[in-house]
Amino acid sequence: MMSCTNPGYTSFFLISLLVYLANAGNFNQDVDITWGNGRGNIANNGQLLTLSMDKSSGSGFQSKNQYLYGRFDVQLKLVQGNSAGTVTTFYLSSQGSTHDEIDFEFLGNLSGDPYTLHTNVYAQGKGDREMQFKLWFDPTKDFHTYSVVWNPSRVILYADGTPLREFKNKESIGVPFLKSQQMRVYGSLWDAEDWATRGGQVKTDWSQAPFTASYRNFNADGCTSSDVNTCSKANSTWMYEQLDSTAQQRMQWAQKNYMIYNYCTDVRRFPQGLPPECNSN
């Protein structure tokens, strides 16, 4: 089992994270910049990828490979200063109306105000599973690591080795799970001033453009076979990863102190009853 511990001493999870990052890939080999007309760039012999946005366009990339289960890490430094209206992303997604998706979306803010980390999980086209956080560090001052672990039993989202949320396979009670669609890994920087900052009340200050976000140490360790049975039998660490009691406590710490929205407690949004996975956790 992976564990996650309090800051100040090294955990097995953090050692594993360092191993993953030491084996990080090369952006030139692993991704394609798919939009932005030159606003996305790969530098440092494939070790750094930057996305920029101005009033004309943002930019984005996607992985060359598609995956069915795996572990996906990236280090990301967000737009500094007045980033209101901007959204920087790192996510996995399939295509189509019944797509699967796992989201990290970083919603910009006015200078001095913290980012909002917006997370969501879609399974077979069904989303509405938002959890939002204010992070315990400044994600603009340095690179921080964001990770997704996806296996047949669960999806776990981490920030710097701390688990933020876990979406378990609850098919036994009728909740769809992400188990049959290959997904690519994506990153993007785009303008969402109509909703991103304080519900759209604060608009993008284009005098601050271009806005830039930086990615490094991208690692995608997953099953690239399109055969579900093959990927379900993958013998990798991430296939068996789950949260032990220490990691559960760390996740509870993050949610108690830094979570600002949880769909599982929004009874006004779900007057007919909370989603079934909320009641079963």
Side-chain angles (χ1 to χ4, degrees):
M1 294 183 184
M2 293 289 188
S3 63
C4 191
T5 59
N6 292 326
Y9 60 94
T10 303
S11 68
F12 179 57
F13 180 94
L14 294 177
I15 293 173
S16 300
L17 180 59
L18 291 173
V19 171
Y20 275 108
L21 295 178
N23 296 316
N26 184 297
F27 283 115
N28 284 318
Q29 300 170 4
D30 297 337
V31 309
D32 294 312
I33 295 176
T34 50
W35 63 284
N37 195 25
R39 293 173 179 82
N41 291 284
I42 297 173
N44 296 353
N45 295 315
Q47 301 305 303
L48 177 71
L49 186 152
T50 59
L51 298 178
S52 65
M53 182 185 81
D54 55 36
K55 199 165 187 177
S56 297
S57 178
S59 50
F61 67 87
Q62 69 179 38
S63 63
K64 294 180 184 292
N65 288 328
Q66 299 184 81
Y67 303 92
L68 183 61
Y69 306 131
R71 178 200 174 94
F72 309 92
D73 306 283
V74 77
Q75 291 190 320
L76 176 57
K77 183 162 69 171
L78 300 179
V79 175
Q80 295 183 321
N82 183 356
S83 58
T86 69
V87 176
T88 307
T89 71
F90 173 62
Y91 66 102
L92 284 76
S93 184
S94 61
Q95 301 297 314
S97 60
T98 58
H99 75 293
D100 295 340
E101 187 172 330
I102 306 168
D103 292 335
F104 282 102
E105 295 184 324
F106 301 87
L107 313 184
N109 216 330
L110 294 170
S111 298
D113 291 340
Y115 267 77
T116 296
L117 169 55
H118 178 95
T119 70
N120 205 350
V121 177
Y122 287 77
Q124 299 174 35
K126 174 69 169 65
D128 298 332
R129 298 187 177 96
E130 300 91 346
M131 291 185 179
Q132 293 184 337
F133 300 82
K134 299 292 188 184
L135 295 166
W136 53 94
F137 51 82
D138 184 343
T140 73
K141 296 300 183 184
D142 203 351
F143 286 89
H144 292 269
T145 305
Y146 306 95
S147 308
V148 173
V149 170
W150 168 35
N151 60 42
S153 300
R154 67 200 76 239
V155 172
I156 309 171
L157 277 69
Y158 295 92
D160 279 349
T162 293
L164 298 175
R165 64 179 296 182
E166 179 183 30
F167 180 68
K168 295 181 179 178
N169 186 333
K170 296 290 184 179
E171 289 182 296
S172 60
I173 59 172
V175 179
F177 192 71
L178 310 77
K179 67 173 189 178
S180 61
Q181 301 185 60
Q182 289 184 303
M183 296 196 285
R184 294 188 191 274
V185 185
Y186 296 86
S188 60
L189 174 59
W190 52 286
D191 175 38
E193 67 174 4
D194 55 337
W195 66 271
T197 307
R198 300 182 188 174
Q201 297 180 41
V202 181
K203 303 301 183 182
T204 305
D205 181 1
W206 293 110
S207 70
Q208 303 296 313
F211 303 96
T212 301
S214 301
Y215 298 74
R216 72 180 187 189
N217 286 334
F218 173 62
N219 177 76
D221 178 17
C223 180
T224 56
S225 172
S226 60
D227 181 70
V228 174
N229 290 329
T230 298
C231 289
S232 297
K233 297 174 183 176
N235 188 26
S236 298
T237 304
W238 44 259
M239 179 58 74
Y240 308 103
E241 185 164 340
Q242 55 185 304
L243 301 180
D244 66 10
S245 59
T246 304
Q248 290 281 359
Q249 291 172 6
R250 187 64 175 163
M251 183 170 68
Q252 292 169 6
W253 169 84
Q255 292 184 358
K256 178 181 178 181
N257 292 286
Y258 297 98
M259 185 164 61
I260 60 172
Y261 178 79
N262 181 359
Y263 78 104
C264 275
T265 61
D266 194 345
V267 294
R268 296 181 61 183
R269 181 181 178 187
F270 302 104
Q272 304 303 315
L274 292 172
E277 69 267 20
C278 298
N279 298 317
S280 66
N281 286 332

